[in-house]
Amino acid sequence: GAVVSQHPSWVICKSGTSVKIECRSLDFQATTMFWYRQFPKQSLMLMATSNEGSKATYEQGVEKDKFLINHASLTLSTLTVTSAHPEDSSFYICSAPPKGGTNEQFFGPGTRLTVL
Amino acid sequence: EDQVTQSPEALRLQEGESSSLNCSYTVSGLRGLFWYRQDPGKGPEFLFTLYSAGEEKEKERLKATLTKKESFLHITAPKPEDSATYLCAVRANDYKLSFGAGTTVTVRA
């Protein structure tokens, strides 16, 4: 199956700093990627849809100025958590459906963010 | 708004004890119902996609079925390595997936 990678796999930062998380599709192109957040023992909540060559679309209640998304190429999307606070600590997961491909979505391994 | 409800929340099984997980959904225009497996600290791993009522798919000890209102994931003769959280998700129009809260399965040897 298709492979999606994320970097870093975990990060610890101080409150007020910004953190960038990368999501890459390794063996396929993706015009669209999705960013999810998962709190402990809860399910995945869609945060935003990342679109190559255009602005991301955010789900209701997600602050676009706090969670900056850039879909730089057909294989890379980045999520930057700006001015992070402890309540932003969570597990961030990206996913991608292959361009023009199947109905499947392939998920990355996730990034654990801890804000002190 | 799409809704996905999974039950039970947690399931503890003895090795070899078969059981079923339920996923009830409400969606306008189902474009696919997905089952994923998620291990602690990892991203979801794709298991099945079902598209229409009556469809069934199997993979090793897992079998997924679909009706117009719900899906079941049957685990036959589970082994400890089947312990994981199983997530159900539906897709309506675009590629967006709406997830249920998951069922955490623990299989004891």
Side-chain angles (χ1 to χ4, degrees):
Chain A
V3 179
V4 176
S5 71
Q6 283 184 240
H7 178 81
S9 56
W10 59 270
V11 57
I12 301 173
C13 69
K14 292 183 179 180
S15 186
T17 61
S18 295
V19 174
K20 180 184 285 188
I21 302 169
E22 293 185 348
C23 176
R24 293 181 185 272
S25 55
L26 297 185
D27 52 1
F28 65 97
Q29 294 182 330
T31 53
T32 302
M33 291 184 179
F34 298 93
W35 286 96
Y36 294 85
R37 181 166 53 183
Q38 186 176 34
F39 291 106
K41 300 198 175 183
Q42 294 186 27
S43 194
L44 283 74
M45 296 300 296
L46 180 65
M47 298 175 64
T49 303
S50 172
N51 304 297
E52 191 268 337
S54 64
K55 291 183 179 180
T57 54
Y58 292 81
E59 296 300 301
Q60 193 171 11
V62 178
E63 300 175 58
K64 60 178 68 176
D65 294 332
K66 181 167 187 62
F67 298 100
L68 301 180
I69 290 172
N70 180 31
H71 200 132
S73 73
L74 287 172
T75 60
L76 173 64
S77 174
T78 59
L79 168 68
T80 301
V81 183
T82 62
S83 187
H85 288 91
E87 57 265 31
D88 298 323
S89 298
S90 187
F91 193 51
Y92 292 87
I93 309 174
C94 70
S95 75
K99 178 185 177 186
T102 67
N103 201 12
E104 296 178 15
Q105 279 194 36
F106 300 99
F107 283 81
T111 296
R112 171 72 60 192
L113 170 63
T114 302
V115 184
L116 302 177
Chain B
E1 185 178 325
D2 303 339
Q3 288 194 335
V4 182
T5 304
Q6 290 188 246
S7 62
E9 187 176 312
L11 190 60
R12 294 176 63 86
L13 300 172
Q14 198 68 35
E15 183 173 5
E17 178 189 0
S18 301
S19 189
S20 295
L21 284 56
N22 177 265
C23 172
S24 299
Y25 64 91
T26 304
V27 63
S28 177
L30 181 70
R31 297 286 185 95
L33 183 140
F34 299 78
W35 282 99
Y36 287 87
R37 169 190 171 129
Q38 186 177 27
D39 293 304
K42 297 188 177 181
E45 173 190 343
F46 173 78
L47 294 175
F48 305 108
T49 308
L50 302 167
Y51 294 99
S52 56
E55 190 174 358
E56 298 183 353
K57 289 192 177 175
E58 285 187 70
K59 179 181 179 180
E60 296 181 353
R61 294 176 294 281
L62 301 176
K63 178 180 177 181
T65 61
L66 181 66
T67 71
K68 289 187 177 180
K69 295 183 178 180
E70 57 190 351
S71 176
F72 292 93
L73 183 67
H74 307 278
I75 309 178
T76 302
K79 298 182 178 182
E81 52 263 42
D82 295 322
S83 297
T85 295
Y86 292 86
L87 300 170
C88 172
V90 297
R91 177 193 166 199
N93 296 314
D94 49 30
Y95 276 109
K96 291 183 183 181
L97 294 180
S98 297
F99 280 86
T103 294
T104 300
V105 175
T106 304
V107 183
R108 296 165 290 176

